[in-house]
Amino acid sequence: FRFALALDWDGTRLRLIPRGWSIGPLPLPRVLMPHGPAWEEERDGTFRFHVEIILPIIGQVCRYEGWLEPG
């Protein structure tokens, strides 16, 4: 699978927006494309992220969020 994503900066978060998907060169219908909110941000000096994957008809299949700290 290949996914085309757009990046959108809303002033506080970098959002990842699904725009299309395919299997190799074969485009797949957007109505069946996985979607959901996905963003990254810096808050209080910490890099934070949030991702949800939602499939049409099935519903939410995955959600994860967290933060990264210097090693």
Side-chain angles (χ1 to χ4, degrees):
F1 289 98
R2 296 173 65 177
F3 294 90
L5 300 172
L7 299 176
D8 177 53
W9 174 252
D10 68 8
T12 59
R13 292 180 173 168
L14 181 63
R15 296 184 313 131
L16 289 83
I17 303 166
R19 294 290 189 216
W21 67 320
S22 65
I23 295 178
L26 178 66
L28 297 171
R30 288 187 58 147
V31 69
L32 299 175
M33 181 171 54
H35 64 279
W39 50 262
E40 302 172 350
E41 70 178 349
E42 183 275 328
R43 190 179 343 140
D44 302 325
T46 304
F47 175 80
R48 298 177 183 273
F49 56 89
H50 173 93
V51 176
E52 292 181 44
I53 300 173
I54 301 167
L55 295 175
I57 301 170
I58 296 173
Q60 188 179 62
V61 294
C62 179
R63 177 182 178 198
Y64 62 94
E65 58 188 355
W67 62 91
L68 300 177
E69 297 178 354

